[in-house]
């Protein structure tokens, strides 16, 4: 059986890190509403190319790892193009998240390791291991 925490649900081409922040005291409510995301929202995400979306919480900070078939911006355009999917869900989530500068940011990719290779940044340049690491 596939472990959804360690094995991809499908072939994702693009991975996006996103950071959002909860309003004070909304940690438990945020977790409870995500216990069962509405089926219409899940269908819309899949239709727009989302392969996997994971959310971790650190205090009021949320870290989203989004794997999609296309760039994050393309996926968002597709979702917006669908129009309102579940206005009640949107209202609930908006009430839980902070707004304003720095409350919702895409994170720049710095480093990736796949197998024995490593890559730098969004450009994906292959990096040579430092000489001091040779033979490890």
């Amino acid at each position: 059986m596939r472990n959804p925490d360690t094995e991809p649900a499908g072939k994702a081409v693009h991975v996006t890190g996103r950071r959002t922040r909860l309003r004070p005291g909304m940690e438990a409510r945020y977790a409870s509403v995500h216990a069962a995301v509405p089926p219409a929202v899940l269908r819309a995400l899949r239709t727009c190319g989302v392969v996997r979306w994971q959310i971790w919480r650190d205090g009021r900070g949320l870290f989203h790892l989004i794997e999609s078939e296309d760039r994050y911006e393309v996926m968002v355009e597709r979702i917006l193009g669908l129009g309102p999917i579940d206005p009640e869900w949107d209202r609930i989530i908006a009430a839980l998240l902070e707004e304003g500068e720095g409350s919702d940011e895409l994170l720049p990719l710095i480093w990736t390791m796949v197998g024995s290779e490593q890559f730098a940044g969004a450009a994906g340049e292959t990096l040579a291991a430092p000489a001091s690491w040779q033979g490890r």
Side-chain angles (χ1 to χ4, degrees):
M1 177 184 261
R2 186 181 69 78
N3 180 340
D5 292 327
T6 59
E7 298 173 39
K11 183 169 174 129
V13 178
H14 296 272
V15 178
T16 302
R18 178 178 168 208
R19 181 178 49 220
T20 56
R21 189 157 180 81
L22 292 168
R23 295 176 192 267
M26 294 295 144
E27 297 88 347
R29 176 77 175 128
Y30 188 84
S32 72
V33 301
H34 278 84
V37 173
V41 173
L42 295 177
R43 278 192 306 275
L45 291 172
R46 280 194 222 67
T47 297
C48 294
V50 173
V51 174
R52 177 169 35 184
W53 191 318
Q54 295 179 298
I55 305 171
W56 288 271
R57 184 177 65 80
D58 180 17
R60 291 178 33 224
L62 300 171
F63 173 74
H64 306 251
L65 177 76
I66 305 157
E67 296 180 43
S68 55
E69 295 168 356
D70 294 298
R71 293 184 340 271
Y72 178 81
E73 296 79 10
V74 171
M75 181 265 298
V76 169
E77 274 182 38
R78 288 178 180 157
I79 289 174
L80 293 174
L82 295 176
I85 296 155
D86 187 333
E88 179 62 13
W89 173 259
D90 293 342
R91 185 192 63 73
I92 291 168
I93 297 303
L96 298 173
L97 296 176
E98 281 190 350
E99 296 178 349
E101 188 174 331
S103 64
D104 189 344
E105 299 179 312
L106 294 182
L107 303 175
L109 178 63
I110 303 300
W111 179 79
T112 302
M113 182 189 85
V114 177
S116 61
E117 294 186 288
Q118 54 180 313
F119 305 91
E125 308 102 38
T126 302
L127 299 175
S132 61
W133 290 13
Q134 298 301 322
R136 286 189 182 181

